[in-house]
């Protein structure tokens, strides 16, 4: 959205270096599919793979991953596990977002015509504050049996993410922004978030702005999702609402999410699940990670490759309906990937927009 974000950093002879963080569970196999497809289409991207050991208590691997993302400017990631039970070892995924100051998260929630769901033709963009709120990771036991957990809301971050949302809406021809909150109970913290979005809304008279309490929002989403356009919310509500919408559209294996700061961008599957139970079984839906890789190609300005791959994915999912079991199909992960590779050739030859 901001200018700096659109300038990809590490570019050598037209190729981009991108940090790849496979993470745990199905992450590594999904990354394998991305690499296979990128090789096939000749995407001008070189991956720098960083594995993060989930069992160690120090954060050397995470710091190294952060260093490489700072160098490359862009990352593609699975969900990183934190297996240590020591309270001082905090979530690596959260640490990465916080340390790279990727304050805005965007989840593109668009229905897939080929995936059977109760609601059709949904087109929602969720914008989530990605670095503070309930994820401040400031918890302590003040006296025995009493845990305090800090929810931190700042004027500056509320303003940055609200600005991001309205600019996003303006740029993408969106009509409405809905701020989701619980300001009736959390009067100061969510109150600040809501007030900030209301203030910024005045600068965008062409975009309608309303707000909704999180509880009602969840009910409205499952009952009447078409009323939503762009949704803006704090970190924890964003995590929950994102998963609600993924569920409505067909589950964990489809949508992709984007983390943005002023300098770095990281792309990943939308629900941020590890999928540990289904790892190595050739049944994980590869689409979410492939969609994340398409978002990344677009961010890098490789529009030809992004468009080719998006059309091939759309043909596989919506026309041929080659689907994994999680979305009602009977194909394996690799059969879905093979279909996409076949379709790359088809969509490249004919110009039919799919
Ligand atoms: P978490 O990472 O929060 O522990 P899980 O890994 O348990 O979440 O994932 C939640 C659910 O979503 C599980 O039932 C898992 O099998 C399913 N899931 C996650 N990713 C995929 C995928 N790519 N394809 C199919 N199912 C998936
Ligand atoms: Mg898991």
């Amino acid at each position: 959205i901001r200018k700096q974000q659109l300038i990809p950093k590490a570019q050598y002879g037209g190729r981009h270096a991108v940090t790849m963080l496979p993470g745990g569970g199905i992450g590594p196999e999904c990354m394998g599919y991305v690499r296979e497809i990128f090789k096939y289409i000749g995407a001008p991207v070189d991956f720098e793979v960083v594995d993060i050991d989930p069992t160690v208590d120090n954060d050397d691997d995470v710091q190294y991953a952060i260093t490489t993302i700072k160098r490359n400017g862009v990352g593609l990631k699975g969900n990183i596990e934190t297996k240590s039970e020591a309270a001082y070892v905090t979530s690596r995924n959260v640490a990465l977002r916080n340390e790279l100051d990727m304050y805005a998260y965007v989840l593109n929630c668009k229905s897939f015509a080929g995936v059977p769901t109760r609601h059709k033709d949904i087109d929602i963009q969720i914008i989530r504050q990605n670095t503070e709120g309930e994820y401040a990771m400031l918890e302590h036991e003040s006296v025995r049996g009493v845990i305090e957990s800090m929810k931190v809301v700042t004027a500056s971050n509320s303003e940055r993410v609200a600005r991001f949302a309205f600019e996003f809406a303006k740029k993408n021809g969106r009509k409405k922004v809905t701020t989701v909150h619980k300001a009736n109970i959390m009067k100061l913290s969510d109150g600040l978030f809501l007030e900030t979005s209301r203030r910024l809304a005045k600068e965008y008279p062409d975009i309608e702005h309303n707000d909704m309490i999180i509880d009602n929002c969840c009910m409205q989403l499952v009952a009447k999702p078409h009323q939503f356009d762009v949704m803006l919310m704090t970190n924890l509500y964003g995590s929950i609402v994102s998963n609600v919408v993924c569920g409505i559209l067909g589950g964990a294996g489809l949508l992709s999410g984007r983390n943005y700061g002023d300098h770095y961008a990281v792309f990943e599957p939308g629900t941020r699940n590890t999928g540990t139970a289904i790892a190595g079984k050739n049944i994980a839906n590869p689409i979410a990670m492939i969609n994340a890789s398409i978002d990344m190609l677009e961010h890098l300005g490789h529009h030809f490759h992004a468009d080719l791959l998006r059309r091939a994915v759309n043909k596989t999912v919506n026309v041929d309906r080659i689907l994994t079991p999680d979305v009602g199909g009977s194909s394996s992960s690799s059969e879905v990937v093979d279909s996409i590779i076949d379709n790359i050739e088809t969509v490249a030859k004919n110009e039919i927009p799919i």
Side-chain angles (χ1 to χ4, degrees):
I1 291 280
R2 299 255 174 89
K3 209 161 181 189
Q4 306 96 296
Q5 289 173 343
L6 300 177
I7 304 170
K9 277 184 139 183
Q11 190 173 13
Y12 312 99
R15 297 184 69 84
H16 282 100
V18 168
T19 302
M20 176 184 268
L21 307 172
I26 57 171
E29 61 199 71
C30 289
M31 291 302 190
Y33 302 135
V34 168
R35 300 178 79 125
E36 191 181 337
I37 292 169
F38 273 35
K39 198 169 165 195
Y40 188 79
I41 62 174
V45 170
D46 298 307
F47 288 112
E48 184 176 358
V49 182
V50 181
D51 287 308
I52 296 174
D53 184 345
T55 59
V56 297
D57 280 1
N58 68 56
D59 67 346
D60 293 354
D61 291 350
V62 178
Q63 288 310 322
Y64 181 67
I66 289 168
T67 304
T68 75
I69 294 172
K70 284 185 174 168
R71 186 167 61 231
N72 296 326
V74 180
L76 180 68
K77 79 182 272 292
N79 198 38
I80 301 161
E81 293 169 298
T82 308
K83 285 199 177 138
S84 170
E85 277 167 16
Y88 68 88
V89 181
T90 50
S91 162
R92 268 102 205 224
N93 301 295
V94 176
L96 206 82
R97 301 198 287 269
N98 289 1
E99 292 198 32
L100 293 167
D101 193 25
M102 297 189 291
Y103 58 86
Y105 179 76
V106 183
L107 185 71
N108 175 13
C109 316
K110 205 166 176 334
S111 293
F112 290 79
V115 176
T117 49
R118 181 184 300 264
H119 300 289
K120 311 279 172 231
D121 299 320
I122 291 168
D123 185 6
I124 299 171
Q125 297 281 346
I126 294 176
I127 315 268
R128 160 182 178 187
Q129 207 295 324
N130 209 23
T131 51
E132 59 177 22
E134 304 81 353
Y135 286 54
M137 300 198 290
L138 297 171
E139 293 189 313
H140 57 263
E141 188 166 24
S142 51
V143 290
R144 215 177 151 73
V146 180
I147 305 290
E148 293 176 339
S149 179
M150 305 249 273
K151 165 166 170 167
V152 178
V153 177
T154 63
S156 58
N157 275 327
S158 301
E159 176 154 350
R160 287 204 292 178
V161 75
R163 177 77 64 200
F164 186 100
F166 284 104
E167 284 294 320
F168 181 95
K170 190 170 144 188
K171 247 190 154 165
N172 293 284
R174 294 285 178 154
K175 308 241 164 343
K176 184 167 84 174
V177 174
T178 303
T179 301
V180 178
H181 62 90
K182 188 82 186 174
N184 54 330
I185 306 293
M186 275 161 269
K187 293 190 170 155
L188 293 180
S189 53
D190 282 18
L192 175 60
F193 192 83
L194 175 60
E195 276 318 308
T196 307
S197 68
R198 279 185 178 151
R199 176 165 55 77
L200 262 76
K202 296 199 182 93
E203 296 179 34
Y204 299 84
D206 296 339
I207 299 164
E208 185 191 339
H209 179 248
N210 67 351
D211 68 272
M212 199 177 277
I213 292 174
I214 176 70
D215 327 25
N216 183 29
C217 168
C218 290
M219 183 166 63
Q220 295 295 327
L221 261 175
V222 295
K224 297 180 202 158
H226 297 99
Q227 66 186 288
F228 296 104
D229 188 347
V230 174
M231 303 175 79
L232 166 67
M233 60 200 85
T234 56
N235 211 341
L236 182 62
Y237 309 149
S239 174
I240 297 165
V241 170
S242 293
N243 275 246
V244 171
V245 179
C246 284
I248 292 172
L249 295 189
L254 292 170
L255 307 185
S256 55
R258 297 170 275 162
N259 302 275
Y260 289 115
D262 285 337
H263 306 288
Y264 313 111
V266 172
F267 302 86
E268 66 184 330
T271 54
R272 294 172 171 169
N273 290 134
T274 41
T276 309
I278 56 169
K281 296 185 173 158
N282 201 13
I283 54 169
N285 192 338
I287 300 296
M289 188 66 86
I290 295 169
N291 277 336
S293 78
I294 296 172
D295 295 342
M296 185 199 78
L297 285 170
E298 260 161 17
H299 175 79
L300 293 171
H302 297 310
H303 299 295
F304 170 79
H305 293 92
D307 182 60
L308 193 63
L309 187 47
R310 195 175 294 286
R311 287 194 292 141
V313 167
N314 286 345
K315 185 166 185 310
T316 293
V317 175
N318 298 328
V319 181
D320 305 340
R321 305 196 176 189
I322 307 290
L323 305 169
T324 45
D326 56 299
V327 281
S330 55
S331 301
S332 64
S333 320
S334 47
E335 283 167 346
V336 173
V337 173
D338 289 346
S339 159
I340 293 169
I341 289 178
D342 286 345
N343 282 331
I344 287 165
E345 194 135 359
T346 318
V347 298
K349 271 195 223 125
N350 42 56
E351 291 297 302
I352 24 157
I354 289 167

